[in-house]
């Protein structure tokens, strides 16, 4: 599964995002890492399809910069201590996915409007 950034914005020159299974976990991250046991998010779950994942998703924690971790030579997200719970993250498909996206866009519009009113 893959997609480009909805805004076309890049992070470190990368826009393509992907969802893949590697080892015993599902991962979400940059397309170039697909198939590897690393990403921005992961869930240890053997579900056959991503929308069936029941495990809590984890997100790369404070070490998730694009730099190697000081003194370790490891890339962020490669050690178990680098992950924190992302309890609100879920994969949805079909009509449920469309509804979730619609709610997200409405929340973003409200936040944007509130920020403009506050001069942010």
């Amino acid at each position: 599964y893959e997609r480009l950034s909805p805004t076309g914005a890049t992070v470190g020159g990368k826009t393509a995002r992907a969802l893949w299974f590697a080892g015993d976990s599902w991962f979400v991250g940059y397309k170039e890492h697909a198939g590897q046991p690393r990403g921005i998010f992961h869930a240890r779950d053997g579900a056959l399809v991503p929308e069936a994942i029941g495990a809590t998703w984890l997100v790369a924690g404070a070490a998730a910069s694009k730099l190697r971790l000081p003194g370790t030579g490891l890339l962020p997200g490669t050690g178990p201590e680098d992950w924190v719970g992302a309890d609100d993250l879920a994969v949805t498909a079909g009509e449920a996915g469309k509804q979730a996206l619609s709610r997200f866009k409405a929340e973003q519009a409200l936040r944007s409007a509130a920020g403009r009113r506050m001069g942010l």
Side-chain angles (χ1 to χ4, degrees), residues 76-120:
T78 58
E81 68 283 353
D82 295 337
W83 299 93
V84 295
D87 300 328
D88 293 339
L89 182 63
V91 176
T92 57
E95 190 58 36
K98 290 176 185 176
Q99 290 173 2
L101 180 59
S102 179
R103 286 191 304 273
F104 172 76
K105 287 180 177 179
E107 289 173 9
Q108 292 299 100
L110 287 173
R111 288 182 182 153
S112 178
R116 284 192 302 272
R117 283 193 302 271
M118 295 174 62
L120 299 176

Side-chain angles (χ1 to χ4, degrees), residues 4-11 14-15:
L4 296 177
S5 170
T7 62
T10 62
V11 178
K14 304 170 193 169
T15 57

Side-chain angles (χ1 to χ4, degrees), residues 24-118:
D24 62 354
S25 300
W26 283 91
F27 292 86
V28 174
Y30 296 112
K31 181 180 172 185
E32 68 190 49
H33 298 149
Q36 300 175 40
R38 62 183 279 202
I40 300 168
F41 298 94
H42 89 275
R44 183 166 284 149
D45 193 307
L48 297 179
V49 292
E51 55 269 25
I53 295 169
T56 299
W57 282 91
L58 301 174
V59 62
S65 70
K66 296 296 169 203
L67 304 174
R68 293 192 180 271
L69 302 177
T72 68
L74 295 173
L75 292 169
T78 58
E81 68 283 353
D82 295 337
W83 299 93
V84 295
D87 300 328
D88 293 339
L89 182 63
V91 176
T92 57
E95 190 58 36
K98 290 176 185 176
Q99 290 173 2
L101 180 59
S102 179
R103 286 191 304 273
F104 172 76
K105 287 180 177 179
E107 289 173 9
Q108 292 299 100
L110 287 173
R111 288 182 182 153
S112 178
R116 284 192 302 272
R117 283 193 302 271
M118 295 174 62

